[in-house]
Amino acid sequence: MAASDRPSSIDDSNEREQRYNEFVALLTRHDLSIRRFVRSLLPSRDGVEDVVQETALECWRKFDDFAAQNSGQADEFARWACVIARYKTLSWQRDQGRDRLVFRDSVVDVLAASALPQLDRLEEERRAMEGCLAKLGESQRQLVLSVHSPGQSVSSIAKQSGQKARRLYHQLNVLRASLQQCVEKQLQQELRHG
């Protein structure tokens, strides 16, 4: 059966699956930025997961509109999703209105206005950190990432590896200083080259 002979429901299904995969890839790529943005709008961690989940659902509902207006502009996704997240945060705050730890809508507006411009900077920092982590050797990279994994600590890694915790702390400090210098250097280079 030629592609042109396929029933339209199969073509629609394939197209829908492709759109979904594109959406999931964008959401996964920008999840941390969206999560940080939502966290910056709320007075505590309460509600962050709810708002991020509601934001993801709303983004999926409106993804066809986004894709039609921003063809080929994947970097605009985080900014677009954060605008939706702002409204979802306001909605969540209204639902939680009886709680004293809820910001007024005007406070959320001010926080959102100050957090949106930081998205680009945070994305540049994330890319620089990924580039610098890639320059480390495998064992160094694993050490840096493992201490930031949930449930891990330097002492637990020292026990598992049979090394002294003090030595691992020293290694980590050296690696972190090296990463910081690398990230700062990359960001300065990007700033110079626009």
Side-chain angles (χ1 to χ4, degrees), residues 108-182:
V108 173
D109 288 343
V110 169
L111 291 171
S114 66
L116 271 177
Q118 295 178 20
L119 286 176
D120 292 338
R121 184 183 55 80
L122 292 173
E123 180 63 18
E124 289 170 5
E125 289 177 359
R126 186 192 62 75
R127 281 196 306 256
M129 179 57 83
E130 282 182 1
C132 292
L133 279 170
K135 292 177 183 176
L136 294 178
E138 181 65 28
S139 63
Q140 294 173 324
R141 188 171 45 253
Q142 275 188 331
L143 177 61
V144 170
L145 294 176
S146 62
V147 296
H148 296 287
S149 299
Q152 289 287 343
S153 66
V154 172
S155 60
S156 67
I157 293 169
K159 281 182 186 175
Q160 291 168 1
S161 65
Q163 297 184 44
K164 292 185 177 180
R166 181 184 231 172
R167 183 167 183 249
L168 282 181
Y169 276 116
H170 177 72
Q171 277 183 292
L172 273 171
N173 287 337
V174 169
L175 288 171
R176 287 174 176 157
S178 170
L179 283 171
Q180 184 176 358
Q181 288 176 350
C182 176

Side-chain angles (χ1 to χ4, degrees), residues 16-17 53 178 183:
R16 193 76 180 155
E17 185 177 334
Q53 186 175 9
S178 170
V183 167

